Amino acid sequence: MTKFKDTILVAAMAAFAVLPLAGIEMAYSAARTQTPATKVNYAPIPGGDYKIDPAHSVIGFSIRHYEINWVEGRFKDFDGTIHFDDADITKSSVDFTAKIESVDTGVAARDQHLRKDDFFDAAKYPQMTFKSSRVERKGKNGYVLHGDLTIRGMTKQVAIPFTIAGAIKDSRGNTRFGIEGHTKINRRDYGVNYGGAMPGGGFDIGNEVTINLYLEALKPAPKPAGQ
């Protein structure tokens, strides 16, 4: 009888041990079998001036660490405007400003170091800015945004390939559309020189930085007459 109870106890413990793994596998299985995203019939994007909605946008970056992993971060405090020319998108323009103090990689000590002179020197150069110069069509649905990116007081021309999604009307009647863009820059072009080569090859901190932009542009609904 004792042996039987011991057997039941061991089986129960094994079952509890397997449950988390089963839950993970079920979650992966559910993710794999999710139905595709619903097809959306976007409306044409109206021309005019839009604000970049910081609550639903990301100005992010990623960089190699010791050539074995990636560190990702973002700037949480920023604002920007988009002038959209619906007659000729190549005449559209983008401007944005991000506060260096708002850099966030999820590690407070590292963020403090990034604000120091070794990296961004936020005390001397509190803002990073971008001002577009032109928009170029690229392929059937793609574009390239050209402009001047300024970091640590140094300005370099960059090209940002991007795509557009939208437009839609939100629950308050505002017009929104999305922009996704990615590009790469060399941090040393902007005087960010901290770190160096490793004896076995490569760098402790990568020189190439990938910039990831996920932007939501917002144009408020017209106010009713008399307001």
Side-chain angles (χ1 to χ4, degrees):
M1 186 67 177
T2 301
K3 183 179 292 187
F4 178 75
K5 289 181 178 180
D6 290 343
T7 302
I8 293 297
L9 180 59
V10 170
M13 292 175 66
F16 279 113
V18 170
L19 275 175
L21 297 178
I24 293 173
E25 175 56 30
M26 289 173 65
Y28 278 119
S29 179
R32 288 194 298 265
T33 57
Q34 284 181 351
T35 56
T38 302
K39 181 176 175 59
V40 179
N41 294 317
Y42 296 115
I45 302 174
D49 294 323
Y50 292 75
K51 294 286 290 182
I52 296 175
D53 180 2
H56 301 98
S57 301
V58 175
I59 295 178
F61 61 88
S62 58
I63 189 168
R64 293 287 285 177
H65 184 243
Y66 283 120
E67 304 292 353
I68 60 172
N69 199 16
W70 292 90
V71 170
E72 295 185 335
R74 63 188 295 184
F75 294 92
K76 298 175 70 174
D77 189 351
F78 59 88
D79 61 72
T81 58
I82 297 174
H83 174 74
F84 188 82
D85 190 321
D86 55 336
D88 185 355
I89 192 172
T90 64
K91 295 180 180 179
S92 302
S93 60
V94 178
D95 291 86
F96 80 77
T97 300
K99 293 185 179 180
I100 298 298
E101 191 69 24
S102 71
V103 66
D104 179 16
T105 65
V107 178
R110 180 168 58 211
D111 296 342
Q112 286 295 338
H113 192 191
L114 289 174
R115 297 179 185 116
K116 302 298 184 182
D117 182 52
D118 284 340
F119 290 95
F120 290 110
D121 196 357
K124 188 174 181 179
Y125 306 103
Q127 295 182 333
M128 170 180 68
T129 64
F130 175 82
K131 183 176 180 61
S132 69
S133 56
R134 63 188 177 94
V135 177
E136 172 192 5
R137 287 188 179 274
K138 195 73 171 179
K140 183 178 179 181
N141 298 311
Y143 304 90
V144 179
L145 181 66
H146 297 266
D148 295 327
L149 177 64
T150 302
I151 302 173
R152 285 182 61 110
M154 299 183 184
T155 301
K156 303 289 180 181
Q157 290 188 346
V158 297
I160 308 173
F162 71 96
T163 56
I164 298 176
I168 60 93
K169 285 287 184 71
D170 66 19
S171 58
R172 298 182 179 180
N174 304 312
T175 301
R176 294 177 180 267
F177 70 93
I179 296 174
E180 179 176 340
H182 306 274
T183 193
K184 295 180 180 180
I185 62 172
N186 189 319
R187 64 186 177 93
R188 293 183 183 271
D189 289 343
Y190 298 89
V192 184
N193 299 317
Y194 185 82
M198 298 189 297
F203 300 93
D204 51 3
I205 302 173
N207 292 327
E208 188 176 73
V209 181
T210 300
I211 297 175
N212 302 302
L213 303 175
Y214 304 96
L215 308 178
E216 195 164 302
L218 166 66
K219 184 178 184 181
K223 291 184 178 180
Q227 290 191 7

